[in-house]
Amino acid sequence: MRGAGGRRVRRFVVAGALVAAGVLVALPAGGRKSAGVAGAEGTAGANRMAGVAGVARPGGGTPRVAADGPTADAMTLPATTGRYQVGTVALHLTHWARADPWAGGRTHRELMVSVRYPARAGAGRYPPALQLSAREAAAFDARNNLSEQVPPGKVQWAATRTSAHVGAPLAPGSATGVHRASRKWLPVVLYSPGVGDPRSFGSTLCDELASRGYAVVTIDHTYEAPAVEFPDGRLARSVLAAELAKAQKTGRITELLKKVSGVRVADARFVLDELAGRGAASPLPSGLRRALDLHAVGMLGQSAGGFTAVQTMHDDRRIKAAVNLDGVMGYTQRDDDPSNPSTVGREGVDRPLLLMGMAGNTHHTVASWGAVWRHSTGTWLRDLTLRGSRHASYTDAEALVPQIARRLGLPHKDVTALIGTVDPARAVAAQRAYVSAFFDRWLRGRDDGGLLDGPSGRFPEVQFVP
């Protein structure tokens, strides 16, 4: 979308703020850790799965399948295509050494994360993971990145189920045929969502990676997402509207953008620390803990989450490869503005980076992408455009918006404003193929058949940007 003077700005309203290209823009004036908690995979306190991933279930017996099946209003996400079914466990993590910067330092930083992983056959007997708990869904309904086109109260956000199953046992061995429970066979991928999105709004892509043999850890950035529900029933609501109002009044928008990015990167690095915990210090169920290969860690994200992924890779050597799905990588309010660069923009990266942008966004047109591209020497870089796409095409909106449009009778212009003109099924297939190929190449050393090396007749929607 074009702003004043022809400047390109991608606009999404969230929590009273304007999110442009993954960063906040001023509107005009006017642990102990607890593992196995349901979180978004069933309202807090429900479906607690201490028996996930190879640990005996308390009391044994057959897992309970949710009695209430999908409602008539439930939307569906695309089924996974990998060889595995998908399990999930949610974790409540507390960073005792860090005061929460959004809470005025009055409390320690707390996060909810979910781990998606390949599950044994029969995972469908376990409860399907909800995309959002009822209370998180209510907050998302009130303010979300689709609100300009989708009015509140019209969508049953709490009814959407993902492909993952809560507490399903971890699949044995590895995709290479080794079947030793002690083998660390799961590469790890962290996922960071865009500003104003919950961690579950990338379920289509994250569940797909898990079905292909990855452990995918999705992170809720507390006080950014519309609401994050903790196991004890507390609901941490977004503070961005208030923070933006203060930044507008004091002329400190750039400082706010830097704070958002800094908090996110610190969250991601803390999650990596927690995943490396051993024995009682680990928040993970023991079977899953033994399977993670923390020497093969990647990160991806959409919008501000894409910036988070690349900045985290710049700051932390544990990240071996990163994917940025249409996220600006500088502290700016415009795509084409080179001012206020991030450290990754000034210095680049020295490990593999995949950029995937909406139509029109490349390292030639997005200033921060160009900066990272110029300063990343001697490493593998790719810049891909998904023709006909929009910013939200890289989220679950690609699958959900067409369903919403049919039910609400949304005009075609509203649909294309959100997800563009690319065929949704093709957009999902392309993202799955290229992101999976990228991590297969750089975390597993697998041949992708040249998919990442040049245009493919299988995916004419994908343009390679030289």
Side-chain angles (χ1 to χ4, degrees):
M1 158 172 218
R2 298 269 169 186
R7 298 171 302 188
R8 287 184 312 109
V9 178
R10 282 166 278 157
R11 295 186 173 182
F12 301 88
V13 175
V14 54
L18 188 69
V19 177
V23 294
L24 290 174
V25 178
L27 284 173
R32 239 328 299 161
K33 293 84 59 177
S34 150
V37 182
E41 284 83 35
T43 306
N47 297 333
R48 299 192 181 192
M49 296 291 172
V52 69
V55 182
R57 291 171 53 79
T62 303
R64 180 180 65 83
V65 177
D68 53 331
T71 70
D73 293 326
M75 296 181 291
T76 60
L77 295 174
T80 56
T81 67
R83 64 178 290 181
Y84 297 103
Q85 294 184 304
V86 179
T88 186
V89 59
L91 310 174
H92 174 204
L93 307 178
T94 302
H95 195 172
W96 296 106
R98 179 180 169 214
D100 195 309
W102 297 120
R106 296 186 300 275
T107 184
H108 302 291
R109 181 69 170 166
E110 294 181 76
L111 301 175
M112 290 299 300
V113 307
S114 292
V115 185
R116 263 30 182 194
Y117 54 87
R120 289 179 181 269
R125 298 183 299 128
Y126 289 76
L130 297 173
Q131 188 176 40
L132 294 166
S133 73
R135 295 172 72 205
E136 289 171 337
F140 185 80
D141 183 62
R143 289 190 176 97
N144 61 71
N145 287 333
L146 313 176
S147 61
E148 286 191 356
Q149 288 80 21
V150 182
K154 299 295 185 180
V155 177
Q156 297 298 320
W157 297 107
T160 305
R161 285 157 169 76
T162 69
S163 294
H165 296 272
V166 181
L170 177 69
S174 76
T176 59
V178 177
H179 294 276
R180 295 205 308 268
S182 62
R183 181 177 174 84
K184 295 186 180 298
W185 64 278
L186 290 179
V188 177
V189 175
L190 303 188
Y191 174 78
S192 176
V195 169
D197 281 345
R199 69 189 189 272
S200 58
F201 215 55
S203 292
T204 298
L205 186 53
C206 293
D207 285 351
E208 178 68 14
L209 287 169
S211 81
R212 299 189 186 206
Y214 289 87
V216 185
V217 184
T218 62
I219 304 169
D220 258 338
H221 298 289
T222 313
Y223 298 115
E224 273 194 44
V228 177
E229 186 169 9
F230 292 105
D232 59 7
R234 287 175 298 132
L235 201 68
R237 297 183 181 275
S238 175
V239 301
L240 288 186
E243 292 291 330
L244 182 61
K246 288 191 295 184
Q248 283 180 284
K249 188 175 295 185
T250 59
R252 297 178 64 83
I253 295 293
T254 299
E255 287 75 8
L256 175 59
L257 300 181
K258 290 180 178 179
K259 180 176 179 178
V260 169
S261 176
V263 171
R264 284 168 156 263
V265 171
D267 286 347
R269 300 185 72 178
F270 168 62
V271 170
L272 279 175
D273 292 342
E274 293 293 277
L275 294 178
R278 297 182 178 182
S282 173
L284 293 164
S286 60
L288 188 56
R289 183 189 322 146
R290 291 194 299 268
L292 299 188
D293 183 357
L294 294 175
H295 296 289
V297 180
M299 189 167 180
L300 81 156
Q302 186 267 348
S303 193
F307 181 11
T308 303
V310 184
Q311 185 67 55
T312 303
M313 182 170 72
H314 171 275
D315 295 354
D316 198 312
R317 302 297 305 180
R318 290 175 292 182
I319 305 293
K320 307 302 182 186
V323 178
N324 177 356
L325 302 174
D326 208 44
V328 166
M329 295 184 284
Y331 310 116
T332 176
Q333 300 177 57
R334 299 200 328 264
D335 291 12
D336 60 353
D337 181 6
S339 65
N340 299 309
S342 60
T343 53
V344 73
R346 293 195 300 268
E347 301 168 5
V349 295
D350 60 1
R351 279 148 287 159
L353 169 62
L354 173 63
L355 303 174
M356 292 189 74
M358 76 173 195
N361 287 342
T362 74
H363 68 276
H364 301 298
T365 63
V366 179
S368 61
W369 287 22
V372 173
W373 197 270
R374 290 191 304 275
H375 294 117
S376 299
T377 58
T379 192
W380 188 97
L381 302 170
R382 288 291 183 275
D383 183 356
L384 307 181
T385 296
L386 183 59
R387 292 186 174 98
S389 64
R390 297 291 294 165
H391 191 56
S393 294
Y394 292 101
T395 72
D396 288 342
E398 188 65 46
L400 297 177
V401 166
Q403 299 174 64
I404 296 170
R406 288 193 294 271
R407 296 174 188 192
L408 302 186
L410 295 182
H412 180 68
K413 65 178 180 62
D414 285 355
V415 175
T416 58
L418 290 171
I419 59 171
T421 57
V422 63
D423 177 80
R426 297 296 305 166
V428 168
Q431 292 175 57
R432 286 173 161 180
Y434 284 92
V435 172
S436 297
F438 175 80
F439 286 126
D440 279 352
R441 179 180 286 200
W442 298 112
L443 299 185
R444 286 174 158 159
R446 289 185 179 175
D447 180 11
D448 52 48
L451 183 65
L452 293 168
D453 296 329
S456 169
R458 292 169 52 203
F459 298 102
E461 303 86 358
V462 175
Q463 174 188 2
F464 278 66
V465 181

